[in-house]
Amino acid sequence: MMEDGRIEQGLSQEQQLRDDGSDVVFKIALWGMYLVAALMYFATTRISAPFGRHTRRGWGPSMSAREAWIVMESPALFVTALVYHHGQHHLDVVPHVLLRLFQLHYIHRCLVYPFRIRNDGKVMPILVCSVGFLFNVHNAYLQASWISHYGDYAASWLTSPQFMLGVLLFLLGFGVNIWADSVLLNLRTDGLDKSYKIPRGVLYEYVTCPNYLGEIVEWLGWGVMTNSWAGFAFFLCTLANLAPRAAAHHQWYLKKFSDYPPSRKALIPFVY
């Protein structure tokens, strides 16, 4: 049990939800996210989303890749903020820390990363952007509702081994994700160079997609530090989306480059 009579943290806390209307919406959103993870895995193992190196025709009208990233990821900032401030615990210390960590990722993903990519001629189908936008609305509502309203964290949670492990994983994954993206961006030193090259160095010697590995570890850390069904659902969605895409990237490199290192795995060193 937590101090001050607070209920025990963790997956069992979902059972404490009240049965009013808002709780019904939250429960539907929560278990719906697990369904989304299953559907996402089913789809991504069969179809590679048509953007980036997998861009192809037949997916309807497109928009600038830079604008698409901004639009697609924006709900994770504005929906999260709106929902969070309606929670009964929104003034508590732990929810504030969790909110800032969540926003750390999406400030980068929505407001920094899109302006780092080379946007000349790069597009994303509006359909793909719209699906991503709706997913982020769903997830922003779910995560913000949990940390500010349904989760009930005593201040001592910030010094617990589980929280510190979660933060370590989150920050490690975040750092790996940014570093790996930077390696890819710096492969094209000439602004006119649009060719693909083989990335090398550190984690790139072991896996094709350390950027995806970093993001998966990051959201695993989120699930650990929030100790919730909501956080774990997001981790599963991230895994269901990025693991098959990493495999698709890996096969793309093997076909494009005859000298691609055969010892590299797609996502997890020595394993997958």
PDB file of all heavy atoms in Angstrom, residues 56-78:
ATOM      1  N   ARG A  56       5.308   4.881 -52.251  1.00  0.00           N
ATOM      2  CA  ARG A  56       4.834   4.326 -53.515  1.00  0.00           C
ATOM      3  C   ARG A  56       3.461   4.912 -53.832  1.00  0.00           C
ATOM      4  O   ARG A  56       2.782   5.451 -52.952  1.00  0.00           O
ATOM      5  CB  ARG A  56       4.765   2.804 -53.450  1.00  0.00           C
ATOM      6  CG  ARG A  56       3.924   2.252 -52.304  1.00  0.00           C
ATOM      7  CD  ARG A  56       4.166   0.762 -52.124  1.00  0.00           C
ATOM      8  NE  ARG A  56       3.345   0.186 -51.072  1.00  0.00           N
ATOM      9  CZ  ARG A  56       3.653   0.210 -49.793  1.00  0.00           C
ATOM     10  NH1 ARG A  56       4.782   0.789 -49.394  1.00  0.00           N
ATOM     11  NH2 ARG A  56       2.858  -0.344 -48.883  1.00  0.00           N
ATOM     12  N   ARG A  57       3.086   4.786 -55.073  1.00  0.00           N
ATOM     13  CA  ARG A  57       1.814   5.338 -55.513  1.00  0.00           C
ATOM     14  C   ARG A  57       0.649   4.439 -55.121  1.00  0.00           C
ATOM     15  O   ARG A  57       0.822   3.293 -54.742  1.00  0.00           O
ATOM     16  CB  ARG A  57       1.833   5.533 -57.028  1.00  0.00           C
ATOM     17  CG  ARG A  57       2.868   6.556 -57.508  1.00  0.00           C
ATOM     18  CD  ARG A  57       2.834   6.675 -59.020  1.00  0.00           C
ATOM     19  NE  ARG A  57       3.801   7.663 -59.498  1.00  0.00           N
ATOM     20  CZ  ARG A  57       3.994   7.951 -60.766  1.00  0.00           C
ATOM     21  NH1 ARG A  57       3.294   7.319 -61.713  1.00  0.00           N
ATOM     22  NH2 ARG A  57       4.886   8.858 -61.123  1.00  0.00           N
ATOM     23  N   GLY A  58      -0.556   5.008 -55.252  1.00  0.00           N
ATOM     24  CA  GLY A  58      -1.750   4.218 -55.019  1.00  0.00           C
ATOM     25  C   GLY A  58      -2.393   4.418 -53.660  1.00  0.00           C
ATOM     26  O   GLY A  58      -3.314   3.677 -53.294  1.00  0.00           O
ATOM     27  N   TRP A  59      -1.936   5.418 -52.907  1.00  0.00           N
ATOM     28  CA  TRP A  59      -2.473   5.677 -51.577  1.00  0.00           C
ATOM     29  C   TRP A  59      -3.183   7.018 -51.491  1.00  0.00           C
ATOM     30  O   TRP A  59      -3.344   7.564 -50.408  1.00  0.00           O
ATOM     31  CB  TRP A  59      -1.357   5.592 -50.535  1.00  0.00           C
ATOM     32  CG  TRP A  59      -0.922   4.177 -50.301  1.00  0.00           C
ATOM     33  CD1 TRP A  59      -0.098   3.426 -51.082  1.00  0.00           C
ATOM     34  CD2 TRP A  59      -1.324   3.319 -49.220  1.00  0.00           C
ATOM     35  NE1 TRP A  59       0.064   2.165 -50.566  1.00  0.00           N
ATOM     36  CE2 TRP A  59      -0.687   2.066 -49.427  1.00  0.00           C
ATOM     37  CE3 TRP A  59      -2.154   3.491 -48.110  1.00  0.00           C
ATOM     38  CZ2 TRP A  59      -0.853   0.991 -48.550  1.00  0.00           C
ATOM     39  CZ3 TRP A  59      -2.315   2.420 -47.242  1.00  0.00           C
ATOM     40  CH2 TRP A  59      -1.676   1.199 -47.465  1.00  0.00           C
ATOM     41  N   GLY A  60      -3.604   7.546 -52.629  1.00  0.00           N
ATOM     42  CA  GLY A  60      -4.352   8.792 -52.630  1.00  0.00           C
ATOM     43  C   GLY A  60      -3.466  10.010 -52.547  1.00  0.00           C
ATOM     44  O   GLY A  60      -2.241   9.922 -52.676  1.00  0.00           O
ATOM     45  N   PRO A  61      -4.084  11.178 -52.321  1.00  0.00           N
ATOM     46  CA  PRO A  61      -3.314  12.431 -52.274  1.00  0.00           C
ATOM     47  C   PRO A  61      -2.314  12.443 -51.132  1.00  0.00           C
ATOM     48  O   PRO A  61      -2.516  11.807 -50.101  1.00  0.00           O
ATOM     49  CB  PRO A  61      -4.393  13.502 -52.080  1.00  0.00           C
ATOM     50  CG  PRO A  61      -5.555  12.776 -51.497  1.00  0.00           C
ATOM     51  CD  PRO A  61      -5.520  11.399 -52.086  1.00  0.00           C
ATOM     52  N   SER A  62      -1.236  13.197 -51.365  1.00  0.00           N
ATOM     53  CA  SER A  62      -0.163  13.272 -50.374  1.00  0.00           C
ATOM     54  C   SER A  62       0.048  14.713 -49.929  1.00  0.00           C
ATOM     55  O   SER A  62      -0.485  15.648 -50.520  1.00  0.00           O
ATOM     56  CB  SER A  62       1.143  12.714 -50.956  1.00  0.00           C
ATOM     57  OG  SER A  62       1.013  11.353 -51.292  1.00  0.00           O
ATOM     58  N   MET A  63       0.843  14.868 -48.891  1.00  0.00           N
ATOM     59  CA  MET A  63       1.216  16.177 -48.389  1.00  0.00           C
ATOM     60  C   MET A  63       2.691  16.166 -48.041  1.00  0.00           C
ATOM     61  O   MET A  63       3.326  15.103 -47.980  1.00  0.00           O
ATOM     62  CB  MET A  63       0.376  16.550 -47.164  1.00  0.00           C
ATOM     63  CG  MET A  63       0.523  15.608 -45.977  1.00  0.00           C
ATOM     64  SD  MET A  63      -0.669  15.882 -44.650  1.00  0.00           S
ATOM     65  CE  MET A  63      -0.204  17.519 -44.091  1.00  0.00           C
ATOM     66  N   SER A  64       3.246  17.339 -47.829  1.00  0.00           N
ATOM     67  CA  SER A  64       4.645  17.448 -47.445  1.00  0.00           C
ATOM     68  C   SER A  64       4.930  16.579 -46.218  1.00  0.00           C
ATOM     69  O   SER A  64       4.174  16.573 -45.250  1.00  0.00           O
ATOM     70  CB  SER A  64       4.966  18.913 -47.129  1.00  0.00           C
ATOM     71  OG  SER A  64       6.098  19.025 -46.299  1.00  0.00           O
ATOM     72  N   ALA A  65       6.030  15.826 -46.266  1.00  0.00           N
ATOM     73  CA  ALA A  65       6.387  14.962 -45.141  1.00  0.00           C
ATOM     74  C   ALA A  65       6.586  15.767 -43.864  1.00  0.00           C
ATOM     75  O   ALA A  65       6.194  15.341 -42.772  1.00  0.00           O
ATOM     76  CB  ALA A  65       7.648  14.174 -45.472  1.00  0.00           C
ATOM     77  N   ARG A  66       7.194  16.954 -43.983  1.00  0.00           N
ATOM     78  CA  ARG A  66       7.419  17.791 -42.798  1.00  0.00           C
ATOM     79  C   ARG A  66       6.095  18.200 -42.164  1.00  0.00           C
ATOM     80  O   ARG A  66       5.896  18.068 -40.945  1.00  0.00           O
ATOM     81  CB  ARG A  66       8.226  19.023 -43.182  1.00  0.00           C
ATOM     82  CG  ARG A  66       8.442  20.007 -42.021  1.00  0.00           C
ATOM     83  CD  ARG A  66       9.402  21.096 -42.431  1.00  0.00           C
ATOM     84  NE  ARG A  66      10.736  20.543 -42.653  1.00  0.00           N
ATOM     85  CZ  ARG A  66      11.653  21.090 -43.437  1.00  0.00           C
ATOM     86  NH1 ARG A  66      11.377  22.195 -44.111  1.00  0.00           N
ATOM     87  NH2 ARG A  66      12.848  20.530 -43.562  1.00  0.00           N
ATOM     88  N   GLU A  67       5.174  18.687 -42.980  1.00  0.00           N
ATOM     89  CA  GLU A  67       3.877  19.097 -42.451  1.00  0.00           C
ATOM     90  C   GLU A  67       3.115  17.898 -41.895  1.00  0.00           C
ATOM     91  O   GLU A  67       2.411  18.006 -40.879  1.00  0.00           O
ATOM     92  CB  GLU A  67       3.064  19.785 -43.551  1.00  0.00           C
ATOM     93  CG  GLU A  67       3.650  21.108 -44.004  1.00  0.00           C
ATOM     94  CD  GLU A  67       2.903  21.693 -45.183  1.00  0.00           C
ATOM     95  OE1 GLU A  67       1.947  21.043 -45.665  1.00  0.00           O
ATOM     96  OE2 GLU A  67       3.270  22.796 -45.644  1.00  0.00           O
ATOM     97  N   ALA A  68       3.249  16.757 -42.555  1.00  0.00           N
ATOM     98  CA  ALA A  68       2.548  15.556 -42.095  1.00  0.00           C
ATOM     99  C   ALA A  68       3.013  15.139 -40.705  1.00  0.00           C
ATOM    100  O   ALA A  68       2.200  14.792 -39.842  1.00  0.00           O
ATOM    101  CB  ALA A  68       2.765  14.417 -43.091  1.00  0.00           C
ATOM    102  N   TRP A  69       4.339  15.178 -40.461  1.00  0.00           N
ATOM    103  CA  TRP A  69       4.853  14.819 -39.143  1.00  0.00           C
ATOM    104  C   TRP A  69       4.312  15.767 -38.072  1.00  0.00           C
ATOM    105  O   TRP A  69       3.935  15.337 -36.977  1.00  0.00           O
ATOM    106  CB  TRP A  69       6.382  14.837 -39.136  1.00  0.00           C
ATOM    107  CG  TRP A  69       6.999  13.573 -39.642  1.00  0.00           C
ATOM    108  CD1 TRP A  69       7.626  13.374 -40.839  1.00  0.00           C
ATOM    109  CD2 TRP A  69       7.019  12.309 -38.964  1.00  0.00           C
ATOM    110  NE1 TRP A  69       8.043  12.072 -40.946  1.00  0.00           N
ATOM    111  CE2 TRP A  69       7.689  11.392 -39.816  1.00  0.00           C
ATOM    112  CE3 TRP A  69       6.541  11.864 -37.740  1.00  0.00           C
ATOM    113  CZ2 TRP A  69       7.890  10.059 -39.464  1.00  0.00           C
ATOM    114  CZ3 TRP A  69       6.735  10.539 -37.379  1.00  0.00           C
ATOM    115  CH2 TRP A  69       7.407   9.656 -38.238  1.00  0.00           C
ATOM    116  N   ILE A  70       4.271  17.046 -38.374  1.00  0.00           N
ATOM    117  CA  ILE A  70       3.778  18.025 -37.399  1.00  0.00           C
ATOM    118  C   ILE A  70       2.308  17.774 -37.081  1.00  0.00           C
ATOM    119  O   ILE A  70       1.900  17.726 -35.913  1.00  0.00           O
ATOM    120  CB  ILE A  70       3.989  19.460 -37.919  1.00  0.00           C
ATOM    121  CG1 ILE A  70       5.479  19.768 -38.038  1.00  0.00           C
ATOM    122  CG2 ILE A  70       3.310  20.473 -36.997  1.00  0.00           C
ATOM    123  CD1 ILE A  70       5.780  21.072 -38.760  1.00  0.00           C
ATOM    124  N   VAL A  71       1.509  17.603 -38.131  1.00  0.00           N
ATOM    125  CA  VAL A  71       0.070  17.371 -37.937  1.00  0.00           C
ATOM    126  C   VAL A  71      -0.167  16.059 -37.207  1.00  0.00           C
ATOM    127  O   VAL A  71      -0.959  15.986 -36.251  1.00  0.00           O
ATOM    128  CB  VAL A  71      -0.655  17.369 -39.292  1.00  0.00           C
ATOM    129  CG1 VAL A  71      -2.099  16.904 -39.137  1.00  0.00           C
ATOM    130  CG2 VAL A  71      -0.614  18.755 -39.920  1.00  0.00           C
ATOM    131  N   MET A  72       0.496  15.021 -37.630  1.00  0.00           N
ATOM    132  CA  MET A  72       0.270  13.684 -37.089  1.00  0.00           C
ATOM    133  C   MET A  72       0.606  13.583 -35.611  1.00  0.00           C
ATOM    134  O   MET A  72      -0.106  12.935 -34.831  1.00  0.00           O
ATOM    135  CB  MET A  72       1.100  12.684 -37.904  1.00  0.00           C
ATOM    136  CG  MET A  72       0.911  11.237 -37.519  1.00  0.00           C
ATOM    137  SD  MET A  72       1.653  10.116 -38.753  1.00  0.00           S
ATOM    138  CE  MET A  72       3.373  10.642 -38.702  1.00  0.00           C
ATOM    139  N   GLU A  73       1.695  14.221 -35.195  1.00  0.00           N
ATOM    140  CA  GLU A  73       2.143  14.096 -33.814  1.00  0.00           C
ATOM    141  C   GLU A  73       1.558  15.157 -32.882  1.00  0.00           C
ATOM    142  O   GLU A  73       1.658  15.033 -31.664  1.00  0.00           O
ATOM    143  CB  GLU A  73       3.680  14.186 -33.756  1.00  0.00           C
ATOM    144  CG  GLU A  73       4.413  13.185 -34.633  1.00  0.00           C
ATOM    145  CD  GLU A  73       4.287  11.755 -34.140  1.00  0.00           C
ATOM    146  OE1 GLU A  73       3.753  11.538 -33.035  1.00  0.00           O
ATOM    147  OE2 GLU A  73       4.737  10.837 -34.850  1.00  0.00           O
ATOM    148  N   SER A  74       0.929  16.188 -33.420  1.00  0.00           N
ATOM    149  CA  SER A  74       0.465  17.315 -32.602  1.00  0.00           C
ATOM    150  C   SER A  74      -0.536  16.948 -31.511  1.00  0.00           C
ATOM    151  O   SER A  74      -0.508  17.569 -30.436  1.00  0.00           O
ATOM    152  CB  SER A  74      -0.117  18.417 -33.496  1.00  0.00           C
ATOM    153  OG  SER A  74      -1.220  17.942 -34.240  1.00  0.00           O
ATOM    154  N   PRO A  75      -1.439  15.958 -31.699  1.00  0.00           N
ATOM    155  CA  PRO A  75      -2.354  15.634 -30.594  1.00  0.00           C
ATOM    156  C   PRO A  75      -1.646  15.217 -29.309  1.00  0.00           C
ATOM    157  O   PRO A  75      -2.181  15.409 -28.209  1.00  0.00           O
ATOM    158  CB  PRO A  75      -3.186  14.478 -31.161  1.00  0.00           C
ATOM    159  CG  PRO A  75      -3.133  14.661 -32.627  1.00  0.00           C
ATOM    160  CD  PRO A  75      -1.752  15.176 -32.903  1.00  0.00           C
ATOM    161  N   ALA A  76      -0.454  14.639 -29.457  1.00  0.00           N
ATOM    162  CA  ALA A  76       0.285  14.219 -28.266  1.00  0.00           C
ATOM    163  C   ALA A  76       0.706  15.401 -27.414  1.00  0.00           C
ATOM    164  O   ALA A  76       1.033  15.233 -26.232  1.00  0.00           O
ATOM    165  CB  ALA A  76       1.509  13.407 -28.669  1.00  0.00           C
ATOM    166  N   LEU A  77       0.676  16.606 -27.998  1.00  0.00           N
ATOM    167  CA  LEU A  77       0.948  17.813 -27.219  1.00  0.00           C
ATOM    168  C   LEU A  77      -0.336  18.479 -26.765  1.00  0.00           C
ATOM    169  O   LEU A  77      -0.567  18.656 -25.567  1.00  0.00           O
ATOM    170  CB  LEU A  77       1.790  18.786 -28.052  1.00  0.00           C
ATOM    171  CG  LEU A  77       3.226  18.348 -28.357  1.00  0.00           C
ATOM    172  CD1 LEU A  77       3.927  19.405 -29.192  1.00  0.00           C
ATOM    173  CD2 LEU A  77       4.004  18.106 -27.066  1.00  0.00           C
ATOM    174  N   PHE A  78      -1.234  18.849 -27.708  1.00  0.00           N
ATOM    175  CA  PHE A  78      -2.379  19.655 -27.290  1.00  0.00           C
ATOM    176  C   PHE A  78      -3.495  18.839 -26.652  1.00  0.00           C
ATOM    177  O   PHE A  78      -4.121  19.293 -25.685  1.00  0.00           O
ATOM    178  CB  PHE A  78      -2.894  20.527 -28.447  1.00  0.00           C
ATOM    179  CG  PHE A  78      -3.591  19.816 -29.560  1.00  0.00           C
ATOM    180  CD1 PHE A  78      -4.929  19.457 -29.449  1.00  0.00           C
ATOM    181  CD2 PHE A  78      -2.935  19.554 -30.754  1.00  0.00           C
ATOM    182  CE1 PHE A  78      -5.582  18.824 -30.491  1.00  0.00           C
ATOM    183  CE2 PHE A  78      -3.580  18.928 -31.806  1.00  0.00           C
ATOM    184  CZ  PHE A  78      -4.922  18.555 -31.666  1.00  0.00           C
TER     185      PHE A  78
END
